Each structure stands twice: as structure tokens, then as C-alpha cells.
């Protein structure tokens, strides 16, 4: 099978950034489980099934789009306001659905998306709320991918970013050997530039993980910035009011947190179990969903390799 053609892009691979973010929600999902190094490796294997390079989203965030959704809609004739209007229309039914959920579930979703934590007294709703968030994010991205078709600027931006990462990866062995005196002595240079999941174990139990990767500025970053609505920029301007919690703008900005690959892999374990038993994601099923989630994770972790 022939390799896909990539556009010719000019990038300075020596201007790179090392990222070590902590993916949210992992501690919430795995709160009751002991994950060994072997279990961790098997969960990481699930992330290989996701097609997009997760660094593409990091490049978009670095460019200033905190939602990571603007790239789907850029095109000639679009403006920040027109893009924001479209995103609001896409988000509206999901906001309405969220507001139809029980109050404690709404509070849990707001806590998760705003500060990455489950409110006190809502601990049993953590996983059902994460599944609701995952469902909303998945539907929004599916709609955006359909709308991206035929938008030349959107396709070019995506292809150029992929090409830039390919150049970075090809040059990484040389870049690793460079001495960069401006870095702190504690800066760790990863062996690979691609996304890696770095676990921290305490007494052979996974306590937290870091995502480690290397990115560069998007080749079309200057042009791209012109399309980002003010309310979606990160950091948001001091002159721009923060979106109201529970609003369309708030959901657009925050719902993408659930899309990190390791978090998605954990939720996939649960979703596969729910789909196999045809258990719908409905408030009336939350108790059963929470029980099946516990069983699915336990079976995966305890399964003999």
C-alpha cells in the first residue's frame, strides 16, 4: 500500500516544545483498582487503535484554540463569529440534553469539565458522567468531521500539521543530541518525539500518568489565529468574560478534555461492555452502568494476559 502524499512544508524543527501534561479523569476511573505495570501496558495498547496523532490537538491548543474544534471549520469566507455561531448550533442539543439530566449528574459534569473533579457526595456518578461527556464529545466531533469535507483550508491545515510532525520525527534523533542552555537542568528529553504515556507507580500500583510528547508550531499558525473566536482562546483575554458554566460556549471549550487517548482507552473498556449488554446511556440506567463499569475494569485488569 502506497504511503499517503504529504504537502511540502517549511518548518524549523529546532523550535520544538516538550509537553508533559497529566491526562484528566484517569484517577477517577481507576480509583478502586490496582493497575500493575503489565496492566498499564495492555491499556496503552488500546490507544494504538485511535487514528489521529494526539499531538495534532496539542499543536492546535498551542496555537491558541482551547477548544481544538476551530480547525474543522476554517475556510475562505469564514470569520471567528461565523465559526462560533456554527459551533454553538452544534453544541446546543448537547447542552439541552445535559440540562435534562438529574441535578446531581449535571453538577458532576460541571465539576469534571471545570476543575477535573467529582463534587463531594457524587462519587457514584463519576463514571456515568464521564460516559455522558464522552458521548457528547464524540457526537460533536462526528458532526465537525462531516462539515470539514470540502473545506480546503481546513484540509490543508490538517495535512500541513501532519507533515510538520513527520519532519520533526525524522529529525528527532539529531535534535535530542543538541545542547540547549536555556532549558532547566531538570528538563527531560524524551527518546521519542511521538506521544508516550509515562506511568508513575507506587508499590507496583499505578498512581498517575503523564503524557510526554514533542510538538512544533503549526506551519499555518498565523493565518489560523485569525479564525479563533475570542471566547475559545486559551488563555482567554482579560477583556473577554468567561463563558457561563453550562452554556454552549463553555461546553465547546471544555468538553474536549475527555478526548485524551489514555482516558478514551479506559472508557472504551467500559463502553464495550455496555454495548455488548445493550445498556443505554440513560439516567435510569446509571446504577447498572456504574456496576457494569466496575465489572468491566476489574475483568480487564484481572484477566490473564
Amino acid at each position: 500500500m502506497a504511503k499517503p502524499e504529504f504537502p511540502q512544508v517549511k518548518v524549523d524543527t529546532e523550535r520544538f516544545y516538550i509537553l508533559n501534561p497529566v491526562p484528566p479523569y484517569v484517577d477517577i476511573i481507576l480509583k478502586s483498582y490496582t493497575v500493575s505495570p503489565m496492566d498499564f501496558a495492555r491499556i496503552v495498547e488500546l490507544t494504538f487503535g485511535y487514528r489521529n496523532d494526539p499531538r495534532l490537538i496539542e499543536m492546535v491548543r498551542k496555537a491558541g484554540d482551547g477548544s481544538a474544534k476551530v480547525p474543522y471549520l476554517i475556510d475562505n469566507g469564514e470569520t471567528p463569529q461565523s465559526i462560533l455561531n456554527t459551533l454553538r448550533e452544534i453544541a446546543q442539543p448537547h447542552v439541552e440534553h445535559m440540562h435534562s439530566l438529574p441535578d446531581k449528574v449535571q453538577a458532576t459534569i460541571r465539576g469534571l469539565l471545570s476543575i477535573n473533579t467529582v463534587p463531594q457526595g457524587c462519587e457514584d456518578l463519576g463514571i456515568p458522567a464521564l460516559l455522558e461527556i464522552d458521548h457528547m464529545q464524540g457526537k460533536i466531533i462526528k458532526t465537525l468531521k462531516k462539515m470539514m469535507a470540502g473545506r480546503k483550508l481546513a484540509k490543508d491545515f490538517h495535512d500541513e500539521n501532519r507533515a510538520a510532525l513527520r519532519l520533526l520525527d525524522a529529525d528527532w534523533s539529531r535534535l535530542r543530541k543538541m545542547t540547549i542552555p536555556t532549558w532547566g537542568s531538570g528538563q527531560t528529553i524524551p527518546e521519542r518525539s511521538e506521544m508516550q504515556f509515562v506511568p508513575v507507580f507506587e508499590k507496583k500500583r499505578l498512581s498517575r500518568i503523564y503524557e510526554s510528547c514533542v510538538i512544533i508550531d503549526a506551519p499555518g499558525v498565523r493565518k489560523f489565529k485569525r479564525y479563533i473566536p475570542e471566547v475559545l482562546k486559551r488563555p482567554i483575554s482579560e477583556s473577554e468574560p468567561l463563558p457561563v458554566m453550562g452554556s454552549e460556549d463553555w461546553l465547546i471549550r471544555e468538553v474536549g478534555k475527555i478526548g485524551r487517548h489514555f482516558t478514551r482507552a479506559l472508557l472504551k473498556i467500559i463502553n464495550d461492555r455496555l454495548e455488548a449488554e445493550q445498556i443505554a446511556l440513560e439516567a435510569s440506567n446509571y446504577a447498572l452502568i456504574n456496576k457494569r463499569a466496575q465489572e468491566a475494569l476489574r475483568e480487564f485488569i484481572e484477566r490473564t494476559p
Side-chain angles (χ1 to χ4, degrees):
M1 185 176 182
K3 292 184 178 180
E5 293 294 328
F6 284 86
Q8 296 295 319
V9 295
K10 293 182 179 181
V11 295
D12 182 1
T13 57
E14 294 185 6
R15 292 179 56 86
F16 59 83
Y17 310 89
I18 297 177
L19 306 181
N20 292 288
V22 176
Y25 313 136
V26 173
D27 58 333
I28 295 171
I29 301 172
L30 295 178
K31 185 176 181 180
S32 303
Y33 303 97
T34 297
V35 176
S36 69
M38 185 178 295
D39 298 327
F40 174 79
R42 290 169 55 226
I43 296 172
V44 169
E45 285 183 13
L46 296 179
T47 69
F48 300 155
Y50 302 125
R51 295 177 55 190
N52 264 351
D53 188 326
R55 294 176 296 169
L56 292 170
I57 294 177
E58 300 299 341
M59 290 173 69
V60 171
R61 290 181 175 134
K62 176 70 172 57
D65 174 18
S67 74
K69 292 175 173 55
V70 174
Y72 293 96
L73 299 175
I74 60 175
D75 204 8
N76 291 322
E78 294 284 1
T79 65
Q81 188 59 51
S82 68
I83 287 175
L84 182 59
N85 290 342
T86 299
L87 288 172
R88 284 171 172 169
E89 290 178 8
I90 295 171
Q92 183 179 3
H94 302 290
V95 169
E96 292 175 354
H97 169 69
M98 182 174 60
H99 289 166
S100 72
L101 297 173
D103 290 345
K104 288 185 69 173
V105 181
Q106 292 187 51
T108 305
I109 291 174
R110 290 195 296 268
L112 288 168
L113 290 183
S114 296
I115 55 176
N116 299 345
T117 60
V118 175
Q120 187 174 1
C122 299
E123 289 79 8
D124 60 334
L125 294 173
I127 288 180
L130 286 172
L131 292 171
E132 289 283 5
I133 295 170
D134 185 48
H135 180 76
M136 289 187 285
Q137 165 74 353
K139 290 286 188 179
I140 289 172
I141 294 302
K142 184 177 181 180
T143 300
L144 287 171
K145 285 182 176 179
K146 289 181 180 179
M147 298 187 70
M148 182 181 176
R151 294 175 182 259
K152 185 177 185 304
L153 288 187
K155 182 179 184 302
D156 289 348
F157 183 72
H158 179 76
D159 290 347
E160 288 168 2
N161 287 352
R162 292 175 64 206
L165 287 175
R166 190 174 73 160
L167 292 174
L168 173 67
D169 294 343
D171 206 17
W172 186 242
S173 60
R174 177 185 70 85
L175 295 171
R176 287 192 74 242
K177 301 173 184 177
M178 295 173 54
T179 301
I180 305 177
T182 56
W183 284 7
S185 58
Q187 176 68 64
T188 301
I189 304 176
E191 293 185 7
R192 295 165 45 207
S193 52
E194 297 92 341
M195 180 68 75
Q196 301 174 74
F197 302 101
V198 183
V200 176
F201 291 97
E202 296 178 358
K203 297 181 180 179
K204 296 185 179 181
R205 176 174 181 164
L206 180 69
S207 60
R208 62 187 181 279
I209 72 166
Y210 296 91
E211 294 177 336
S212 175
C213 69
V214 186
I215 64 170
I216 53 179
D217 288 320
V221 64
R222 291 184 179 179
K223 182 182 292 184
F224 174 67
K225 285 180 180 291
R226 303 173 192 168
Y227 290 96
I228 305 174
E230 290 294 326
V231 72
L232 299 184
K233 290 183 178 179
R234 197 182 298 272
I236 196 167
S237 171
E238 293 182 1
S239 61
E240 181 73 23
L242 290 172
V244 177
M245 188 181 297
S247 66
E248 284 83 2
D249 292 357
W250 171 81
L251 186 66
I252 294 165
R253 274 179 63 92
E254 306 297 343
V255 72
K257 289 180 180 180
I258 200 75
R260 292 190 176 277
H261 281 19
F262 195 86
T263 308
R264 291 174 64 195
L266 290 173
L267 291 176
K268 183 180 185 303
I269 295 170
I270 299 169
N271 270 314
D272 286 350
R273 177 65 175 269
L274 298 179
E275 290 178 4
E277 297 192 20
Q278 298 182 339
I279 300 174
L281 183 58
E282 298 174 352
S284 59
N285 287 337
Y286 279 166
L288 178 59
I289 287 171
N290 200 47
K291 180 180 179 182
R292 291 295 184 265
Q294 304 269 344
E295 293 171 353
L297 290 168
R298 185 181 301 109
E299 288 173 6
F300 182 88
I301 290 170
E302 294 178 352
R303 188 185 309 151
T304 302

